[in-house]
């Protein structure tokens, strides 16, 4: 192997580094370092060629093939056919154009309608008084028992002040009227029955009127206080009560139900 002079080694840095590697690792290490350097240079060269788009000469050329024989055979046949057929002249006709006035109007569309009438329906402005008058809660309410349809015939007669007052519903579902005594029971008639009742109590009973100012079919409705036994005492003494039948329109309603209230002191309300 050729030996390098010491002066040349001192003047060249690469040689100095190679000499140091040789002295430290031997001849094999120097070869490995040189191989790595060459590989790095080769990789760098490939990367630079990819960035610059380097292509070898002639790589962009393309090959195109044409069939000339078939075209050459068809050309004489077409020329002979054109010579045998006479030329047909087509008279030039002016292009027909429809004037704008004869064109049909365009079909109406949503966009055209909006463009013609861009403004919505008119807005009605109400004063506070007019707005309050439109509140349906202020309208008069119809009674539930009022007829919904038109009424025919003569008007109903006005209520007579002498008519008996309806105070509830009888056990059979008919109207029940307030009782009016024909003759109040005496102390002697009630004494024996009230002896079993507690003082300071009252009772309500319902009875059906009968001819001769009598009552029948009496039933208990209420007593206060509960358990005072006054309701039982009044039902037991009702057979001797004399009550006027209710009246409606100057007619006596015998057989109608009446409500009777009796307190311990025999006052009827």
């Amino acid at each position: 192997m050729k030996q390098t002079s010491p002066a040349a080694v001192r003047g060249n840095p690469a040689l100095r580094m190679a000499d140091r590697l040789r002295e430290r690792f031997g001849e094999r290490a120097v070869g490995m370092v040189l191989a790595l350097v060459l590989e790095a240079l080769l990789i760098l060269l490939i990367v630079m060629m990819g960035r610059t788009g380097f292509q070898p000469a002639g790589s962009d050329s393309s090959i195109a093939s044409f069939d000339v024989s078939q075209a050459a055979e068809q050309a004489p046949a077409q020329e002979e056919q054109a010579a045998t057929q006479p030329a047909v002249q087509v008279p030039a006709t002016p292009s027909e154009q429809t004037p704008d006035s004869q064109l049909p109007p365009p079909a109406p569309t949503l966009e055209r309608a909006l463009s013609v009438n861009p403004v919505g329906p008119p807005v009605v402005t109400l004063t506070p008084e007019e707005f309050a008058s439109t509140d349906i809660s202020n309208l008069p309410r119809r009674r539930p028992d009022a007829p919904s349809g038109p009424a025919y015939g003569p008007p109903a007669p006005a209520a007579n002040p002498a008519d008996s007052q309806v105070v509830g519903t009888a056990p059979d579902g008919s109207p029940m009227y307030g009782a009016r005594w024909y003759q109040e029971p005496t102390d002697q008639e009630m004494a024996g029955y009230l002896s079993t009742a507690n003082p300071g109590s009252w009772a309500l009973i319902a009875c059906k009127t009968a001819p001769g100012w009598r009552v029948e079919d009496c039933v208990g409705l209420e007593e206060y206080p509960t358990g005072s036994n006054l309701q039982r005492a009044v039902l037991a003494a009702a057979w001797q009560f004399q009550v006027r039948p209710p009246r409606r329109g100057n007619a006596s309603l015998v057989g109608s139900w009446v409500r009777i209230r009796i307190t311990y002191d025999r006052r009827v309300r």
Side-chain angles (χ1 to χ4, degrees):
M1 185 174 179
K2 185 178 179 181
Q3 298 293 330
T4 306
S5 62
V9 172
R10 289 192 300 269
N12 193 343
L15 294 177
R16 287 201 306 268
M17 183 174 294
D19 189 34
R20 292 177 183 176
L21 292 174
R22 187 182 300 109
E23 292 176 357
R24 187 171 182 178
F25 300 102
E27 296 293 339
R28 184 176 297 178
V30 175
M32 293 177 61
V33 171
L34 293 176
L36 292 175
V37 172
L38 291 177
E39 289 180 1
L41 293 175
L42 181 60
I43 292 173
L44 180 60
L45 180 61
I46 293 173
V47 172
M48 293 179 64
M49 290 173 62
R51 291 183 178 180
T52 56
F54 174 76
Q55 295 182 358
S59 62
D60 195 20
S61 61
S62 60
I63 300 174
S65 60
F66 300 92
D67 191 1
V68 184
S69 60
Q70 185 177 0
E73 292 176 359
Q74 293 179 358
Q78 292 179 357
E79 291 178 357
E80 292 177 0
Q81 185 177 1
T84 57
Q85 293 180 359
V88 180
Q89 297 181 357
V90 179
T93 57
S95 59
E96 298 180 357
Q97 297 182 358
T98 304
D100 297 341
S101 59
Q102 298 180 2
L103 293 176
T109 60
L110 179 60
E111 296 180 357
R112 184 178 180 85
L114 292 177
S115 62
V116 173
N117 187 16
V119 183
V123 179
V124 179
T125 304
L126 299 178
T127 62
E129 293 77 9
E130 294 175 344
F131 183 77
S133 63
T134 59
D135 189 0
I136 60 175
S137 62
N138 298 329
L139 298 178
R141 297 182 180 180
R142 185 176 61 88
R143 298 185 319 181
D145 57 346
S148 57
Y152 300 96
N160 191 346
D163 291 345
S164 300
Q165 181 182 4
V166 178
V167 294
T169 303
D172 61 353
S174 61
M176 184 169 57
Y177 301 89
R180 293 184 299 173
W181 290 108
Y182 176 74
Q183 183 177 352
E184 293 187 13
T186 63
D187 295 340
Q188 291 78 14
E189 293 173 345
M190 297 295 296
Y193 300 99
L194 295 178
S195 60
T196 59
N198 298 329
S201 58
W202 54 265
L204 287 176
I205 64 172
C207 298
K208 186 177 182 180
T209 58
W213 322 112
R214 296 181 302 105
V215 293
E216 58 187 8
D217 301 335
C218 296
V219 294
L221 298 177
E222 187 180 359
E223 70 174 0
Y224 180 83
T226 304
S228 61
N229 294 326
L230 180 61
Q231 181 176 270
R232 182 182 302 177
V234 172
L235 290 174
W239 64 273
Q240 55 186 348
F241 291 168
Q242 294 182 342
V243 178
R244 297 180 183 274
R247 299 188 64 85
R248 177 67 62 180
N250 297 327
S252 179
L253 303 179
V254 178
S256 300
W257 289 78
V258 293
R259 187 185 69 180
I260 302 173
R261 174 172 176 170
I262 293 183
T263 63
Y264 190 84
D265 57 0
R266 300 180 294 106
R267 288 184 299 178
V268 179
R269 298 179 183 177

